[in-house]
Amino acid sequence: MNARAIAIGSGAARPLRRQRPGVLPGFGLSLGYTVFYLGLLVLIPLAALPLRSAELGWSGFWETVTAPRVMASYKLTFGAAFIAATINAVFGSILAWILVRYRFPGRKVVDALVDLPFALPTAVAGIALTQLYSQKGWLGGWLQDSLGIKVAYAPLGIVVALVFIGLPFVVRTVQPVLEDLERELEEAATSLGAGRAQTIWRIVVPTVLPALLTGFALAFARAVGEYGSVVFISGNMPMRTEITPLLIMAKLEAFDYAGAAAIATVMLGVSFVMLLIINLLQAWQARRNGRLA
């Protein structure tokens, strides 16, 4: 009896199996393709912004990105995006709750309408909102004459447009989490004497919060870069209703490519910081839910 047979019989060693090639490509090929694809479509274009803005030098860069007109556009763009994302986070989660927990006539129609901003061209959305909320529109004239509220060609109109295009991100992010939420947990809390407010705050909110933060981040990121639906309803008045993407387009039309790249670099940096903060909050909430489980 040879050594291999003795080893097998004694259980001291086992013959090595030949590894079968997997159906999907290996880790090395998949990782290489991913890095190549990500670098070609995302990293290289983003890296071109700071490289092009470096032509201005530090003093020229700082002077460009801190000009009064540019600062006013920053304040309006990020402020309106934050307000719109907050509104969507509140009312989008309520809409998702209604779609998941209640059955009513026309529910499927409402559910389909949520995705309308995804399919509708942003320019069409901007024209429709302008016609609706302008002084001669169906709602704009009544709001301005009766309540003194001006929507179109005002910062409020920008918020309305950003709420319109950002709502689906919150609804479609929160809705699957609510569908997977076990109602037995709510029933158990109720049987232990918890009221509706306590049940929502202690059971529903901790479960939905990570998805809600994700939806908020997506709505905020989309709103910061939105152009088509805002450019019509804002009026594009410098220092008042001029958003940063429109200012970048104006510099491009004036062949000031370095200045446009400088402003875009600032927007890119702020967006990265906001998304990083939100991702850290999501990670903290996930760890907190893991400890409570």
Side-chain angles (χ1 to χ4, degrees):
M1 185 178 295
N2 56 26
R4 183 179 179 183
I6 296 174
I8 294 175
S10 61
R14 294 181 180 178
L16 297 176
R17 296 182 179 178
R18 295 183 59 186
Q19 294 182 354
R20 292 185 176 181
V23 177
L24 298 178
F27 173 75
L29 180 60
S30 301
L31 179 61
Y33 176 78
T34 301
V35 173
F36 172 77
Y37 189 80
L38 182 65
L40 184 63
L41 295 183
V42 179
L43 298 181
I44 293 178
L46 293 182
L49 291 177
L51 290 176
R52 190 58 187 271
S53 63
E55 298 176 1
L56 298 172
W58 174 249
S59 59
F61 176 86
W62 183 256
E63 183 180 355
T64 300
V65 300
T66 57
R69 182 179 176 183
V70 179
M71 295 298 293
S73 70
Y74 291 154
K75 182 179 179 180
L76 178 62
T77 299
F78 289 103
F82 182 82
I83 294 173
T86 303
I87 294 174
N88 281 327
V90 175
F91 293 98
S93 58
I94 295 175
L95 179 57
W97 176 271
I98 293 174
L99 292 175
V100 171
R101 291 303 179 93
Y102 298 99
R103 298 294 182 268
F104 54 90
R107 174 181 170 274
K108 292 185 177 180
V109 176
V110 175
D111 191 37
L113 288 176
V114 171
D115 294 327
L116 182 61
F118 284 150
L120 191 67
T122 56
V124 176
I127 294 174
L129 292 173
T130 304
Q131 292 295 323
L132 181 63
Y133 289 105
S134 64
Q135 189 174 2
K136 295 182 180 180
W138 295 346
L139 293 179
W142 178 79
L143 289 173
Q144 190 166 352
D145 296 337
S146 302
L147 304 177
I149 300 176
K150 184 179 181 181
V151 180
Y153 315 123
L156 180 59
I158 299 175
V159 174
V160 171
L162 298 181
V163 168
F164 176 80
I165 58 99
L167 179 64
F169 291 96
V170 177
V171 176
R172 294 311 182 208
T173 306
V174 175
Q175 190 173 1
V177 179
L178 289 176
E179 290 175 350
D180 294 337
L181 182 62
E182 298 179 359
R183 298 193 180 187
E184 289 78 5
L185 297 176
E186 303 172 36
E187 295 174 356
T190 303
S191 64
L192 293 174
R196 291 186 177 181
Q198 289 179 320
T199 302
I200 293 176
W201 185 252
R202 296 294 182 90
I203 303 299
V204 178
V205 171
T207 305
V208 175
L209 187 57
L212 184 59
L213 290 175
T214 302
F216 175 88
L218 293 174
F220 177 81
R222 171 66 188 277
V224 167
E226 180 60 24
Y227 177 79
S229 63
V230 177
V231 69
F232 293 101
I233 198 172
S234 65
N236 308 321
M237 292 176 284
M239 307 294 295
R240 292 184 58 190
T241 61
E242 186 179 45
I243 58 174
T244 305
L246 178 64
L247 187 56
I248 295 174
M249 288 296 299
K251 286 189 173 294
L252 291 175
E253 292 174 355
F255 302 102
D256 185 8
Y257 299 115
I263 300 173
T265 301
V266 173
M267 290 191 65
L268 179 65
V270 175
S271 299
F272 274 144
V273 170
M274 291 297 299
L275 291 177
L276 176 62
I277 293 174
I278 293 173
N279 287 330
L280 292 176
L281 289 174
Q282 290 176 348
W284 168 80
Q285 183 65 27
R287 291 194 300 269
R288 180 174 177 270
N289 289 341
R291 290 195 299 266
L292 294 178

